[in-house]
Amino acid sequence: MDEKYNPKKVEVKWQAFWEDTKAFKVFEDPDKEKYYLFEMFPYPSGKIHIGHVRNYTIGDVISRYKKMRGYNVLHPMGWDAFGMPAENAAIENNTHPAKWTYENIDTMRSQLKRMGFSYDWDREIATCKPDYYRWEQWLFLKMYEKGMAYRKESFVNWCEPCQTVLANEQVEAGMCWRCGKQVRQKKLWQWFFRITEFAEDLLTYCDKLPGWPEKVISMQKNWIGKSVGAEIRFPIENPPKECDNFISVFTTRQDTVFGATFMCLAPEHPLILALSKGSEHESDVKQFIDRISTQDRSDKAIDGYEKEGVFTGAYCLNPFSGKKMPVYTANFALMEYGTGAIMCVPAHDQRDFEFAKKYDLDIIIVVKPAEEDLDPATMSEAYVSDGIMVNSGQFNDLLNRKALDEIASFLEKENMGQKTISYRLRDWGISRQRYWGAPIPMIHCETCGVMPVPEKDLPIVLPEDVDILEGGGSPLPGLEFFNKATCPKCANANARRETDTMDTFVESSWYFQRYCSPNFDTGMFDSKAVDYWMPADQYIGGVEHAILHLLYSRYFTRVLNDINLVNYKEPFTRLLTQGMVCKETATCPEHGFLFPDEIEESETGRICRKCGKKISVGRVEKMSKSKKNVIDPNVLMEKYGADTTRLFCLFAAPPERDLEWNEQGVEGGYRFLNRIWRLARNSMDAIKDVQAFQGSQDALDGRFLGLYKKTHETIKRVTRDIEDRFHFNTAISSIMELVNVMTDIDANETGFGEDENKSGVMKFAMENAILLLSPIVPHFSEELWAELGNKESVMKKTWPVFSDEAILKDELLIVIQINGKVRSKFNVSAEASEETIKEMALSDERAKKFIGKEKIKKVIVVKNKLVNIVL
């Protein structure tokens, strides 16, 4: 055994062994219980970052642990290779997206292997390969046949720098989720997936995901946004020929309809231009729409805006009161909610109240407190509480909550509207005007219209030998060899192919099913393999994907279920959302944010390596390239090795919490592994050729009895922490405690190797410490396991089992409380009866001092823990 721990030597050796022996290759085995876990696959950026390392290390520990528990474990990896992230990065680096992507995949694969992750690399997928997206195109055709995929002209979120459309979920505070630039509204023909058909089912099943974090469930429920209310039709006065005779409104407050005094339409509403056409207000309306189209249209941003709007020149009629209502377009009205039209009730909605005050519009009270009248002229804010109906015709004097249902029923009876449910969720716009994506398999024919590509022509292959246009525009519309197509219905040779590509979230919505049979070439996946492995038992990834990827994956699984490809609706049984990796920022007055290697220590403190000026240390924030507070995992692996890097990522915080980067913590992890190495080397001669202790603990005493018990206690605690909570930090802490006991014996019990029981106990402890560490620091554990004389890989061993008898304590520490306050403690035999414990507590000298002459009302004994004396 080498004198010193050499991580590079050890890790290279065992990575080669795992690869040569196909240690992680897995097949379906109906005789074994399966366990399918995976982490969210990365897009090939070129380098893994420390967030990747933490995420994948968490998954790797679970994978290795479950394998040792006897499960048939599937742990795959792949690449989210299409889409704007890869394309934008390639453009920034002046290279082709295909070249950039494939080179980065090779680099990152090598980095992941260097970390020792237990992936079955024979199942590797890359979503940019035709053998993957061929089946995505096939599914698109099936969805089109069933009406689940459709094309329409609509206002969309347009990012000018990225030259593409964004789904609502991809707009964050009015900015593009990818480039961070302003998003504006633009009208385009787009392809959509009808996710709204499954809105209620997606919402219902949110309560059937007990293995998911409550935060994620809440975010999905809020995004689906179910509202129960009524649709009310407001007749338009002198309606234009090109539009309906009424404006349809969804409201949850139909009890206030008599108080509706004006109407507000979203700037994107299709009626706006028709209502203002030819009026003196037409120009103002158009200017307002153009200006609002560049604003942040998120709910949060709109709440902060001053309420403003423009009169269209049109009026509608309140169907209940008959009152003439001016129609405005307003910045706070959203097409994403209801119908994009709001019946405005200024007396009972604060937003409407502010708008009415600003534009001098009528305010009519229709709900008032039971004991008080309200005066619109003196109101300083809207009245939004419950109360009694007034100024509401036949509904006067009703409680407004009761009036909700009565008015909704009246609407249906009089054909003025209907009870309905509205969802915030909108159909998923999947068209992207970008090059690097899966082509949409449709053809446009002047005679036949839009036609699906015949299945026999799939895949429609994205050409990879073309140049990206300046500014990131797609070259596909200008490529005749790609663009030109023959209509499958009329054989028109001048038809054109659809040149939009699919949103990258389409690829990531089903990749976990493809992992089950990645080389299957007659369908999306082998149904037998999917039936065995799915649903996935554990999914691991960031909470930032709670709405986008996770909701889309749940939707896609329902689509596959609907067309009878899978027999389940939910793809992931358990979800773990790991916290972020954070680090303090550092700035130089001259050079701004600094990378860690741009800082050096001096006598006066930390200074900028470039100019020598003193740096300022900022707050701890999520690691990001823009703020340069990043750590390169390659540097860590070179200095400390993969196992130390893994150890720190697991020990510094529970997986669901943010991890604060700390160089001293990494050093501490490295020292810990070196301590175990030295301990193993020091005791190797005494324990290598002896059998691990398997006798009765009655044969042991002193430190060795304590070590035997501590080993069993550690097995129990580590098993509990990994199995029940994934709290690897406390599991590692328990192993450290065990190592401390072993180190103490090594230092103080000279010659223990001469006693078979003592050396056997030491070997028992050492073997179990290695087994418990093996999922966490696998290379290190493999090496020590082999040094102990074992011929088989440590991964082939079963997980240790603790003995209940061994962890029973000979004595218990009992706390004495008097009126709930701790006053004394005493030790008692573990076999002592409750009555004995009670008598000992009452006779305790310190307890008697506090009791004094007061009367004891009752004595409560909590088994094995405490006695509470109530005076």
Side-chain angles (χ1 to χ4, degrees), residues 22 24-35 67 71-75 120 122-123 516 519 529 532-533:
K22 295 279 186 181
F24 311 122
K25 189 169 180 62
V26 65
F27 302 94
E28 294 79 48
D29 184 349
D31 295 329
K32 292 183 74 174
E33 187 174 355
K34 65 92 179 179
Y35 193 87
K67 189 177 180 69
Y71 289 88
N72 190 28
V73 177
L74 172 57
H75 188 208
D120 181 353
D122 289 344
R123 294 175 181 265
C516 298
N519 299 312
Y532 178 78
W533 291 113

Side-chain angles (χ1 to χ4, degrees), residues 34 42 64 83 114 138 148 194 249 284 336 350 372 407 450 479 484 532 562 585 616 625 636 667 673 717 771 827 832:
K34 65 92 179 179
R64 290 173 178 273
R114 191 177 174 191
W138 177 86
M148 294 178 177
R194 213 179 292 275
V249 166
D284 290 341
E336 282 72 33
Q350 186 59 29
E372 179 187 357
I407 290 176
V450 182
L479 298 176
K484 192 173 181 181
Y532 178 78
D562 196 70
T585 57
S616 298
K625 291 179 182 177
L636 293 174
E667 289 276 3
L673 294 184
R717 288 168 62 186
L771 290 170
N827 290 312

